[in-house]
């Protein structure tokens, strides 16, 4: 397996809890997975060392000095939006120390969700963990216990056997989603519909925000 880049080689500072590098933040409706349709304040942190070839946010991989924002400001903006929950995403948000961000969001009365590939130890206190393993970097064992939701992006039919392997390692109550990779949705969506019908422990996840053209 290739050597993954470090935070510093991505342009960031050594791992820290405050300030954090932010690529974008916005209040929207969650588009995919278990919370699709629910209002959420998204905080997209900069920096990713996973390197998925089909990544649709490659601009999130690197970190710029000017992107660092104080955690208190992030929590204040989330609170001002009126959102009941915040989704910490990326990039790969678990690259960063999220203890202070999740504490500040909870202090503001906002529930905390994360979307992660699970390749770094999880820090912070999360009300919902969406674990989305990627073939490009092996996840840590702890995520099979921490996950509330397993979401596997399917690029090729062969990804289904790989997805089942992850599902078998999760607790029975974990919600299981298969999601067609966006550029392959024409081929994969009909396949996944048939697969979920035949394997009903899964649900189909669709990137509704892309169809609705919302962030
Ligand atoms: Fe892109 Fe997410 Fe993969 Fe990182 S983990 S390369 S942000 S799809």
């Amino acid at each position: 397996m290739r050597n993954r880049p470090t935070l510093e080689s991505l342009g960031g500072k050594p791992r820290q809890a405050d300030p954090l590098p932010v690529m974008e933040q916005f209040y929207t409706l969650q588009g995919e997975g278990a919370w699709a349709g629910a209002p959420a304040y998204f905080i997209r942190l900069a920096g990713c060392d996973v390197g998925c070839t089909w990544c649709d946010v490659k601009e999130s991989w690197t970190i710029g000095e000017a992107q660092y924002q104080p955690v208190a400001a992030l929590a204040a903006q989330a609170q001002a939006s009126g959102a009941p929950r915040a989704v910490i995403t990326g990039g790969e948000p678990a690259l960063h120390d999220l203890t202070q961000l999740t504490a500040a969001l909870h202090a503001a009365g906002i529930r905390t969700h994360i979307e992660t590939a699970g390749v770094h130890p999880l820090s912070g206190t999360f009300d919902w963990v969406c674990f989305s393993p990627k073939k490009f970097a092996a996840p840590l064992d702890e995520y099979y216990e921490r996950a509330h939701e397993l979401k596997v992006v399917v690029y090729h039919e062969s990804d289904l056997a790989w997805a089942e392997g992850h599902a078998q390692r999760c607790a029975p109550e974990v919600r299981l989603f298969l999601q067609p990779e966006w550029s392959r949705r024409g081929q994969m969506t009909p396949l996944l519909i048939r697969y979920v019908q035949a394997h009903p422990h899964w649900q189909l996840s669709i990137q509704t925000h892309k169809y609705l053209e919302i962030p």
Side-chain angles (χ1 to χ4, degrees), residues 32 45 115 138:
E32 59 193 53
L45 297 180
E115 300 237 359

Side-chain angles (χ1 to χ4, degrees), residues 186-198:
Q187 300 97 319
M188 289 301 111
T189 304
L191 175 89
L192 293 186
I193 290 171
R194 291 193 300 275
Y195 190 85
V196 168
Q197 287 173 326

Side-chain angles (χ1 to χ4, degrees), residues 20-209:
L20 292 170
V22 180
M23 182 186 152
E24 57 181 351
Q25 52 185 318
F26 47 86
Y27 189 25
T28 189
L29 303 186
Q30 180 147 357
E32 59 193 53
W35 290 87
Y41 192 83
F42 273 68
I43 300 174
R44 185 182 301 285
L45 297 180
C48 183
D49 60 349
V50 179
C52 306
T53 54
W54 42 258
C55 177
D56 59 358
V57 281
K58 287 194 168 94
E59 62 276 22
S60 72
W61 291 10
T62 55
I63 302 169
E65 173 74 31
Q67 291 180 304
Y68 281 87
Q69 295 189 33
V71 158
L74 292 172
Q77 289 170 89
Q79 188 176 35
S81 77
R85 65 190 64 81
V87 178
I88 316 302
T89 185
E92 173 42 70
L95 262 176
H96 307 285
D97 181 345
L98 302 173
T99 49
Q100 292 193 31
L101 178 59
T102 53
L105 289 166
H106 278 151
I110 298 170
R111 292 176 66 80
T112 56
H113 294 202
I114 188 170
E115 300 237 359
T116 175
V119 299
H120 296 279
L122 187 61
S123 55
T125 306
F126 284 96
D127 300 301
W128 191 267
V129 175
C130 175
F131 170 39
S132 185
K134 304 295 188 317
K135 280 187 163 176
F136 308 92
L140 303 180
D141 289 345
E142 67 177 89
Y143 282 89
Y144 298 95
E145 294 175 7
R146 304 281 304 261
H148 300 89
E149 169 184 2
L150 174 72
K151 185 174 66 187
V152 179
V153 176
V154 178
Y155 184 86
H156 187 271
E157 187 171 359
S158 63
D159 295 340
L160 291 167
W162 185 80
E164 293 290 1
H166 291 294
Q168 284 169 10
R169 296 186 60 189
C170 291
E173 64 272 18
V174 174
R175 296 188 61 188
L176 305 176
F177 291 89
L178 296 171
Q179 178 173 296
E181 195 279 319
W182 181 249
S183 70
R184 299 264 295 155
R185 64 191 181 283
Q187 300 97 319
M188 289 301 111
T189 304
L191 175 89
L192 293 186
I193 290 171
R194 291 193 300 275
Y195 190 85
V196 168
Q197 287 173 326
H199 304 84
H201 50 293
W202 292 99
Q203 286 180 249
L204 180 67
S205 171
I206 291 290
Q207 293 184 294
T208 59
H209 55 299

